[in-house]
Amino acid sequence: MGALDHLSNMFDCGSGSNRKYKKRKQLQTVEIKVKIDCDGCERKVRRSVEGMKGVTSVSVERKQHKLTVVGYVEPHKVLSRVAYRTGKKVELWPYVPYDIVAHPYAQGVYDKKAPAGYVRYVEDPHNQLARASSTEVRYTTAFSDENPAACSIM
C-alpha cells in the first residue's frame, strides 16, 4: 500500500473506513501420502493440484507414495482436492526421519510400510519409555568395552 493510497483512504469520507483487509496466506509445503502405482496415477495426482489457486510447485515421488505441494495453500484444502479429484485415500505425510524420534523402534512408531530411514510420527509413544539420565549413562559406560578408561576389574 503506497503513500497515495494511504492519503486517499485518510481523506475519503465514504466507504474507506469499512474496508476489511484479507489476511495473506503463508507459503507452505504440504506433504501428502497417496498411493501411486503407475504413470497414469502419477499424472492424475499431479494434475489434481496443479490448477489450484496459490500452488507454485508440485512434485511426486512414486516410490515413496508422496506428493509435495508448495504454495500459498491450506493443507486441508489440498487434501480434500486430491481425494475428490483422484478418488484415492489420502492423508498428511505421517513419517519423519528415524533419528528425530526418541524411540524409533517402539510399538506404534515403527512402521514396516515406511520408506527407508523413516518412522511414523507419534508425539509420545508410551510415556513409559524414557531417555537414560546422565547418571545411568555414566554407570553403564564405566563398565563398557568401548571406553578405554573403563574399570579394569572385568
Side-chain angles (χ1 to χ4, degrees):
M1 190 165 170
L4 291 175
D5 291 333
H6 181 68
L7 288 174
S8 67
N9 285 340
M10 250 174 61
F11 295 112
D12 188 21
C13 297
S15 63
S17 61
N18 292 336
R19 183 184 294 177
K20 291 187 178 182
Y21 295 102
K22 287 186 176 180
K23 186 176 180 182
R24 284 189 155 176
K25 295 178 185 172
Q26 292 184 351
L27 184 69
Q28 293 187 19
T29 302
V30 182
E31 295 176 330
I32 298 173
K33 179 182 176 185
V34 58
K35 189 168 184 177
I36 303 168
D37 296 322
C38 60
D39 292 334
C41 295
E42 183 178 342
R43 192 176 326 109
K44 190 181 210 182
V45 168
R46 181 184 301 277
R47 287 186 178 173
S48 68
V49 292
E50 276 182 340
M52 262 182 95
K53 185 178 177 183
V55 172
T56 56
S57 72
V58 178
S59 67
V60 179
E61 297 174 34
R62 187 192 307 178
K63 278 192 170 184
Q64 291 187 345
H65 300 289
K66 183 178 183 179
L67 167 69
T68 306
V69 179
V70 178
Y72 299 95
V73 292
E74 295 178 18
H76 70 276
K77 287 186 179 180
V78 176
L79 273 176
S80 61
R81 172 105 175 212
V82 173
Y84 177 74
R85 289 272 179 107
T86 62
K88 295 181 177 285
K89 181 184 168 211
V90 296
E91 62 177 316
L92 287 176
W93 187 251
Y95 305 117
V96 295
Y98 75 94
D99 50 343
I100 292 178
V101 179
H103 301 286
Y105 298 106
Q107 185 180 9
V109 176
Y110 182 72
D111 189 2
K112 287 191 273 188
K113 295 180 182 179
Y118 287 90
V119 292
R120 188 169 283 277
Y121 177 71
V122 177
E123 284 292 326
D124 191 9
H126 287 294
N127 254 355
Q128 65 199 19
L129 299 173
R131 289 252 184 211
S133 67
S134 61
T135 56
E136 291 172 349
V137 171
R138 202 171 340 129
Y139 286 132
T140 55
T141 56
F143 296 103
S144 173
D145 292 334
E146 297 168 1
N147 185 0
C151 182
S152 61
I153 296 173
M154 293 179 74

